[in-house]
Amino acid sequence: MRLLRYSINVTLDGCCHHEAGLPPDEDSMRYWTAQMERADALLFGRVTYEMMESAWRRPATGAWPDWMDEWEIPFAETIDDAKKYVVSSTLSGVDWNAELVPGDLGPAVQRLKEQPGEGLWVGGVTLPLALADLGLIDEYEFVVQPVLAGHGPTLLAGLHERIRLELVDRHELQSGAVAVRYRPAQGSARHD
């Protein structure tokens, strides 16, 4: 069974808006590239899928845009090449090596997890909240940015029940951000 990992940048005060933290640097892009390479496929909601596609899809010319630094290209290539699943009730079709996830969210994602492979990676805000409420997330990975945003969407706001986690890994980035990875606590009720 494939593990489902939720990964996102978050500020110290819990803001998970994609522009609230530090701008990407070579170290953080190397980190995210390595993490994404560990997944067989990416799972996105419509908003995250469209945002990622607009930033990281290889242009029809085959050349990456001039605004992209050389150290961003491995990340761009990794996300561009990755298999993607998109959860959306409003999209009628997707491309960019993607397919829509049919049916009810819980059973559909459970079927994806049951396929052989290394793991699934989910990003965004709304979809991970629904997946956490369904108990489908096996690992939570947060890159905690040394920033206080003071506003914006917060991490897993509206979660129905508390989820106890245990630390699995910790990695400090040169920027002062800290990547932490957790799993739901074992040996006790998943929700307290």
Side-chain angles (χ1 to χ4, degrees):
M1 181 179 287
R2 298 191 285 190
L3 293 179
L4 177 60
R5 177 183 291 162
Y6 173 37
S7 299
I8 194 165
N9 289 308
V10 61
T11 63
L12 280 170
D13 56 349
C15 180
C16 50
H17 188 275
H18 70 280
E19 295 178 342
L22 300 174
D25 61 13
E26 189 169 353
D27 188 37
S28 66
M29 292 302 271
R30 225 181 2 259
Y31 178 82
W32 281 121
T33 301
Q35 298 312 307
M36 204 167 288
E37 286 173 342
R38 295 176 52 203
D40 300 314
L42 312 179
L43 181 62
F44 294 134
R46 179 191 57 82
V47 172
T48 303
Y49 169 76
E50 290 176 341
M51 180 180 65
M52 294 298 213
E53 182 182 28
S54 70
W56 303 110
R57 185 174 189 160
R58 185 183 300 267
T61 63
W64 292 108
D66 291 340
W67 62 261
M68 195 176 291
D69 288 318
E70 191 69 31
W71 47 265
E72 292 176 293
I73 292 175
F75 177 85
E77 289 173 340
T78 300
I79 194 169
D80 186 59
D81 292 342
K83 171 69 179 167
K84 298 160 197 77
Y85 294 101
V86 182
V87 175
S88 174
S89 61
T90 58
L91 293 174
S92 59
V94 291
D95 57 3
W96 194 38
N97 196 28
E99 63 183 74
L100 287 171
V101 175
D104 291 337
L105 180 63
V109 171
Q110 187 62 42
R111 282 190 297 275
L112 291 174
K113 289 178 64 170
E114 289 170 357
Q115 294 177 10
E118 296 299 314
L120 300 166
W121 185 94
V122 64
V125 178
T126 306
L127 177 59
L129 173 61
L131 295 171
D133 274 335
L134 291 169
L136 291 171
I137 297 177
D138 301 298
E139 291 187 349
Y140 295 81
E141 178 179 43
F142 308 121
V143 175
V144 183
Q145 307 279 319
V147 173
L148 297 172
H151 66 283
T154 55
L155 186 64
L156 298 168
L159 190 65
H160 287 109
E161 295 182 50
R162 186 173 83 145
I163 301 172
R164 283 186 3 141
L165 303 173
E166 57 188 17
L167 184 66
V168 174
D169 191 31
R170 180 180 191 277
H171 176 79
E172 292 184 29
L173 300 173
Q174 293 171 0
S175 64
V178 179
V180 288
R181 189 164 43 100
Y182 295 94
R183 288 191 184 131
Q186 300 297 315
S188 64
R190 194 182 166 298
H191 297 286
D192 289 336

